[in-house]
Amino acid sequence: MSGAQPASAREPSETFCATCATPLQGKFCAACGEKRVDPHEYSIGHFAEHALESFTHFDFKSFHTLKLLISRPGLLTREYLDGRRRPYVNPLQLFVIVNLLFALLIGLSGWTPLNTPMNVQQNIGPMREFKRSILEERKSHSKETPQEFERSFNSAASTASKTWVFSMIPVFAGLSAALYSFRRYFFGRLIFATHFYTFVLAYFLVATHLSTWVLKGFASFGVRFDPNNIDNTVSLIMLFVLGWYLYKALRRTYDDSRPRAFARSFVLTIAFFPILLLYRLLLFFATIKAMH
């Protein structure tokens, strides 16, 4: 959004380095190398430029950055918006790194929280009958057997999920902006959403493997659980974790009061599942298109 930014957004000083407070004489700080923040860097265009850069360049200062992302929700967003960027991995680069690790390791857990194989698309989520009709029509024109067609669909869905997971970020950012009546730059909402979904990927990666190990441990003693109860328990735990993370992140990033942070984090947490369902619907059509 254009226009003047309110004082609460805390734009960095134009004459002193945001990281070490050394007086600035040029584009970069002579003491630590931090870049002077330009107004262009708060634009959507700059965000798009970084998106392109992130898919072609990795910066592996990621361990320290990832630790802060998990242990101090909202800190990386606040630091980035304040102009303290040199010590950390760029938000989009961090997202790509974690997404790559997620894609490589999630299959080992046996869970598919962001992938949608054909049986999931047909039985879970919105427009099930419509999706079934499309699949039946495609099967009838395919030279593959039903089993081969399903394998092809699942392979295409797995590939598409690695890219289309990014689509949830602008949707979440838009909802976040609406909760603040579109005050402050929308750029900041995109950064906040990028950090949040990076945390989501990291959480899914850890939680799914941990759940698998726990269930295998119980199974070794002959204890088994109903799959529906497992799904419900995992969903409730996830809601609590995401709600807690968002509450802390909103407090640290935007200086929200406790009641406001609680109310906004509650809305954003509840909205997480509808956004996930929309993502899965989008992924279905992206998969169908990729199979042409």
Side-chain angles (χ1 to χ4, degrees):
M1 225 180 135
S2 60
Q5 188 179 29
S8 59
R10 300 189 306 215
E11 288 188 356
S13 167
E14 295 182 356
T15 56
F16 294 91
C17 175
T19 298
C20 67
T22 299
L24 291 173
Q25 301 296 325
K27 189 175 181 180
F28 295 91
C29 175
C32 70
E34 182 67 83
K35 183 176 180 293
R36 182 198 293 265
V37 178
D38 186 270
H40 169 68
E41 297 184 33
Y42 289 94
S43 68
I44 304 301
H46 183 72
F47 186 87
E49 291 167 8
H50 268 300
L52 178 61
E53 178 187 354
S54 296
F55 282 98
T56 58
H57 174 71
F58 287 165
D59 185 345
F60 285 96
K61 293 183 289 187
S62 56
F63 292 108
H64 175 64
T65 308
L66 186 58
K67 177 183 176 182
L68 292 177
L69 177 80
I70 296 171
S71 64
R72 301 191 67 185
L75 174 67
L76 292 178
T77 305
R78 186 65 268 160
E79 291 282 274
Y80 190 89
L81 297 179
D82 283 347
R84 289 181 287 274
R85 304 173 183 181
R86 189 173 177 81
Y88 314 110
V89 177
N90 175 275
L92 283 166
Q93 290 175 353
L94 183 65
F95 177 84
V96 171
I97 291 169
V98 175
N99 189 28
L100 177 63
L101 292 174
F102 180 86
L104 292 173
L105 301 177
I106 193 63
L108 300 177
S109 71
W111 297 66
T112 56
L114 295 178
N115 189 13
T116 51
M118 196 166 79
N119 68 308
V120 172
Q121 290 285 10
Q122 292 182 111
N123 300 298
I124 299 176
M127 302 175 64
R128 287 181 294 236
E129 292 299 327
F130 179 66
K131 289 187 288 187
R132 287 171 188 161
S133 67
I134 291 178
L135 289 170
E136 289 302 321
E137 190 271 335
R138 292 301 174 90
K139 286 180 186 177
S140 67
H141 290 86
S142 174
K143 297 180 181 179
E144 297 177 309
T145 66
Q147 293 77 17
E148 291 172 338
F149 181 87
E150 183 169 358
R151 284 195 294 269
S152 297
F153 182 95
N154 293 345
S155 176
S158 177
T159 301
S161 67
K162 297 175 179 61
T163 302
W164 286 98
V165 63
F166 185 82
S167 65
M168 289 185 283
I169 291 177
V171 177
F172 189 88
L175 178 58
S176 174
L179 290 177
Y180 286 89
S181 300
F182 294 95
R183 298 191 300 271
R184 304 187 180 102
Y185 290 122
F186 187 70
F187 169 85
R189 309 302 179 195
L190 287 170
I191 297 300
F192 182 89
T194 302
H195 280 139
F196 172 67
Y197 272 95
T198 305
F199 170 78
V200 168
L201 291 176
Y203 169 77
F204 276 158
L205 190 57
V206 173
T208 53
H209 281 83
L210 183 61
S211 298
T212 299
W213 294 336
V214 169
L215 292 173
K216 285 182 177 178
F218 277 109
S220 66
F221 291 100
V223 180
R224 299 186 182 278
F225 299 94
D226 185 289
N228 290 329
N229 291 335
I230 294 174
D231 287 342
N232 291 336
T233 301
V234 169
S235 296
L236 286 174
I237 293 173
M238 182 175 68
L239 279 174
F240 175 80
V241 171
L242 296 184
W244 170 85
Y245 187 89
L246 283 168
Y247 171 80
K248 292 289 188 179
L250 291 173
R251 290 268 293 156
R252 183 169 281 122
T253 302
Y254 300 118
D255 291 329
D256 277 3
S257 64
R258 288 186 175 88
R260 290 179 182 274
F262 177 83
R264 286 166 175 156
S265 63
F266 178 81
V267 172
L268 291 171
T269 302
I270 297 302
F272 179 82
F273 285 110
I275 293 174
L276 182 61
L277 291 176
L278 287 173
Y279 156 77
R280 287 179 170 176
L281 184 61
L282 174 63
L283 187 58
F284 172 80
F285 291 108
T287 302
I288 288 293
K289 184 174 178 59
M291 293 178 68
H292 279 181

